[in-house]
Amino acid sequence: MIANEPEKNERQIWMGLLARAAPERLQALLQDLPPHTLLRGPEVGAVMVRGRVGGTGVPFNLGEMTVTRCTVQLADGPAGHAHIQGRDKRHAVRAAVVDALMQTDRAYALRAGVLEPLAAHETATRALRAAKAAATKVEFFTLARGEDA
Amino acid sequence: MYVAVKGGERAIDAAHAWLAEERRGDTAVAELSVAQIREQLSLAVNRVMAEGSLYDPDLAALAIKQARGDLIEAIFLIRAYRTTLPRLGASRPVETADMAVIRRISATFKDLPGGQVLGPTFDYTHRLLDFKLAAEGEVPVAPTAPASLGQVPHVTAILGRDGLIQGEAAGDETPPDLTREPMELPASRPLRLQAITRGDEGFILSMAYSTQRGYGRTHAFVGELRIGAVAVEMDIPELGFAVQIGEVELTECETVNQFKGSKTEPPQFTRGYGLVFGQTERKAIAMSLVDRALRWKELGEDFTGAPAQDEEFVLKHADNIQATGFLEHIKLPHYVDFQAELELVRKLRAEAGATRDAAE
Amino acid sequence: MIAEALLGGFASAPTASARVFRAALEAMARPGTIWTVEGAAPPAPLSIAAGALVLTLCDGTTPLHLGASLDTPVLRDWITFHTGAPLVAAKAAQFALGTWADLMPVTRFAVGLPDYPDRSATLIVEMPDLGPHGPRLTGPGIATEAHLTLPETAAFRANRALFPLGFDTYLTCGNRIAGLPRTTHVEAV
C-alpha cells in the first residue's frame, strides 16, 4: 500500500506520508519519542508553491504555503529531516524523529506500527473522495429521434 | 503630508475594546470556533488563502474570525502575517495533470476521457433559499460510485495531440516573484499570472466580464475546469532529492480561444490559463479570460484600448490590499494638507472679491 | 550531505540572529568600530564571526560566492543546510565570502544599478588580524576619524568613487566584525 509510487525511493515515500499526515494521527501512533537533539528548527516558514503556465509551460509563482521544518539527531544515531505542511512544530519534530528511526533497526516495527496505518488511512480518505466524485459523473444518453426508429 | 498628532490613545484603546465586543456579538449566542469557520465557511477560507497568497486553512479561518467576516481585512491580516515567515524555498511546479479531481467539466467536449465530473457544485441548485438550513439538522451522506484513481488527461493535451491548439513553451527558468521585487512592466506571463491569481476576485471577474461584453473579446470556451488536490514537492538540499511536503487544493481553468492564423502558422486555437488556491471556480475562470486578453501582443492581435488588454491597468489595480491601503488612507488625518488648501481657497476668494470691488 | 555540516547552526535562530544583526547594523553604521558576535560554530577554516554573519544575512534568495580558500565540501554543505543560499560565481553574488586574496579582483562584484543601488554585493572578508589601527576612515557614521586594519586602500578608494553605487564590506576575524560601507573615505597613513 505504501509502495504504490514506483518512481520514488522508500525514504521519499515515507517522508511524503509523514508530511501529509494529520498531526494528531501521527501522535496517536507514536506517543513517546526517543532521546534526540534538535540540529535545526523546528522552524515555521513559507514555501513558494509554483505552477506551470497552461499546466505544462514555464513555471510561475502561485502563492506560498506554511511549512515547518526540523532536523534532529538521535542519541548515537542518524539524523532525520522533516518538511511538513502547516505550523505544527511538534509534528515536525515527530516526523523528523520517525525519519531518523526509519534508518535504524526499528524501521521494521515503525513501518507496521506507524507508516502502514497512516498510508491505509490516507488511501481510504482519498478513495472516499474519489468515490463521491465518481457518483457525480454524468452518464449522457441521447434520446432516440423519430426518424431513426 | 502627515503630522504626528498625540492624544488619541485613550480613544483608540476604547475603540479596540468595543471592536472586540462587537466582533463577539451577543454573548447569548455561541461563539464561532476557528474550526467551524474552516469547515463550514470553506469557500470564504479559500478566497482568503488565494488573495492572501498563503495556503493555510486554519490561519485563513482565524483571519476571517478576527476580521468579523470582512474578507479583504482578513486577506490583509494574512498578507501581514506572511511577511514574517522566512522563505524556506520554492516547490517544484505542481503537476495538475496528476490532480485527484473532485470536479472536472468541459464545455467543449461532451464525451471526453475521464468524463464530466460535477463534484460539489452550486451549478444545478435552484438558488432558492433553503430554510431547512436555518434549523440545525443532519446532512444526508453523499452517494458513492466505483472510481478509477488514474490520471485524468487535460482537454488541451487532447487538442494538442492534433496540433489544434497552441502549445506552451516549456522551460524551467526561475519565475519572477512580485513579493520580492517590484513589478516591472512590461511583465512576463509568469509575473502576470502571479499578480492575477492573488488579485481581487471582484476586480478580475469584472475585467473578464468586460472581455465577454466586447471590450477585448477573445471568444473563450471553458475547455476544462478542474478542482482537486495536488501534491507539493520540494527539493531538499540536505537530502539530495525532492520530497512531498504536503498537498494543496487548487482550481484550474483552461480556456480554448479563437485564433485567426497567419501566413506562417495554420489556424490554431489559443489558450488562457487560470490556477488558483482552493475551490475558487469563478476566480479561476475569470483569471483565464484576463490572461488570454493580456496576451494580445504576443498573439499579434490589435490593441483595441480595452481595459482588460491594458497590462498596467490590470496588474496595477488587481491587488485589493494595495487598493485598500491607498483608498482608506485618505480618511486618516490630512489636517495640514487641508489647512493649506483652505488658506488657498480663502486667499483666492479674497482676491476675486477685491478685483470685483475694484471693477465696480 | 556531510554529517558535520548539520552541526554548528544557531541554537535559537530568532534571538541569535537578532543579536548578530544588531552587531552587523552597528558595525556598518559606525565604520571603524569593532563588535563581537557569537552563536555560530562553522566548520574550519571559517571564523565564528563570518559564520554568524552568513547565518544571519543569507537565505535561499541571496546568492553567495564562496572564495577558493573556503570552498570545501563540508563548508558548502554547511551553508546550504543552514541558509539555503545558492552558491554562485562572483558576478551573480549578493554576498561574497573569502579572504581578500580569494575575492580579488573585487571589481567582479555587483555594484548596483543607478535605479537600484541596493542591488550590489556585500563582501565578508576574513582577516588575519582586525584592530582599530591602520588606514584612516572618515565619512558618514564617523565623528572625526577612525582607523581600521584593511587589506588595502586602493580598492576601497575606487569603490568610494562609484558612490551611490559600490559594494559594502564586512571584515571578520575570530568572533569580531567591523563594517566598511561604500560611503567611507579611506586613506593610507
Side-chain angles (χ1 to χ4, degrees), chain A residues 8 12 20 40 44-48 50 52-54 57 59 61-62 64 66 85 87 126 131 133 136-138, chain B residues 53-56 82 86-89 91 94 116 118-119 145 171-172 176 189 194 233 238 242 244-245 247 271:
Chain A
K8 291 191 160 55
Q12 281 173 307
R20 296 188 304 270
R40 185 180 66 188
V44 180
V47 165
M48 178 55 88
R50 290 186 176 147
R52 285 190 184 279
V53 174
N61 290 312
L62 179 61
E64 290 162 309
T66 51
Q85 180 167 16
R87 292 164 290 116
R126 286 178 176 175
T136 68
K137 190 184 277 190
V138 182
Chain B
S53 205
L54 185 68
Y55 196 98
D56 188 319
R82 69 152 284 281
R87 176 72 67 80
L88 303 183
S91 81
V94 292
Q116 308 264 1
L118 302 182
D172 274 311
R189 195 158 167 225
Q194 184 186 11
E233 221 174 38
E238 53 269 26
Q244 285 188 10
I245 57 173
E247 238 173 18
R271 312 149 66 115

Side-chain angles (χ1 to χ4, degrees), chain B residues 124-342:
Chain B
Y124 309 98
T125 63
H126 295 113
R127 266 70 184 226
L128 299 173
L129 273 176
D130 180 0
F131 290 99
K132 289 203 296 293
L133 287 176
E136 288 163 40
E138 293 287 304
V139 178
V141 175
T144 58
S148 64
L149 290 166
Q151 220 188 34
V152 180
H154 276 120
V155 165
T156 47
I158 299 167
L159 281 169
R161 278 206 291 271
D162 299 328
L164 292 172
I165 192 163
Q166 272 196 332
E168 296 289 0
D172 274 311
E173 305 90 86
T174 302
D177 183 356
L178 61 79
T179 69
R180 292 296 167 124
E181 279 150 28
M183 191 195 295
E184 282 180 16
L185 300 177
S188 63
R189 195 158 167 225
L191 189 61
R192 298 199 298 243
L193 291 179
Q194 184 186 11
I196 300 169
T197 193
R198 73 208 298 267
D200 182 75
E201 180 173 314
F203 177 81
I204 304 299
L205 170 66
S206 292
M207 284 293 110
Y209 180 45
S210 73
T211 70
Q212 291 185 293
R213 290 194 64 255
Y215 293 86
R217 195 185 291 280
T218 63
H219 305 274
F221 296 99
V222 171
E224 181 172 345
L225 178 77
R226 57 168 68 191
I227 302 177
V230 298
V232 180
E233 221 174 38
M234 185 164 79
D235 284 298
I236 310 291
E238 53 269 26
L239 296 173
F241 50 79
V243 295
Q244 285 188 10
I245 57 173
E247 238 173 18
V248 293
E249 189 170 50
L250 301 177
T251 304
E252 182 184 48
C253 179
E254 294 185 280
T255 55
V256 176
N257 305 67
Q258 195 182 37
F259 180 54
K260 285 201 278 276
S262 67
K263 281 185 187 133
T264 53
E265 286 178 79
Q268 255 185 335
F269 290 112
T270 58
R271 312 149 66 115
Y273 189 65
L275 186 66
V276 186
F277 277 156
Q279 288 188 39
T280 40
E281 174 166 328
R282 184 185 304 116
K283 171 79 169 286
I285 299 170
M287 176 174 174
S288 57
L289 261 62
V290 174
D291 169 50
R292 178 59 186 80
L294 289 171
R295 298 183 66 201
W296 64 272
K297 197 182 272 179
E298 67 198 74
L299 296 172
E301 296 167 344
D302 293 331
F303 177 69
T304 62
Q309 290 182 313
D310 185 331
E311 179 177 86
E312 181 179 351
F313 185 84
V314 173
L315 301 187
K316 294 282 187 187
H317 302 120
D319 192 287
N320 51 26
I321 302 308
Q322 279 174 8
T324 294
F326 199 55
L327 182 102
E328 296 202 17
H329 101 280
I330 63 171
K331 71 191 172 185
L332 299 174
H334 282 70
Y335 307 137
V336 175
D337 302 55
F338 188 69
Q339 281 304 316
E341 301 229 340
L342 204 56

Side-chain angles (χ1 to χ4, degrees), chain A residues 39-40 43 69 71 73 79 81, chain C residues 6-7 9-10 13 80-82:
Chain A
L39 297 184
R40 185 180 66 188
E43 177 187 17
R69 71 178 178 186
T71 297
Q73 184 150 36
H81 302 282
Chain C
L6 305 183
L7 308 172
F10 287 142
T80 301
F81 177 71
H82 292 283

Side-chain angles (χ1 to χ4, degrees), chain A residues 129-130 133 136, chain B residues 100-104 117-120 227-229 249 279:
Chain A
R129 272 180 95 69
T136 68
Chain B
V101 295
I102 59 163
R103 173 163 166 77
R104 188 274 194 135
V117 178
L118 302 182
I227 302 177
E249 189 170 50
Q279 288 188 39

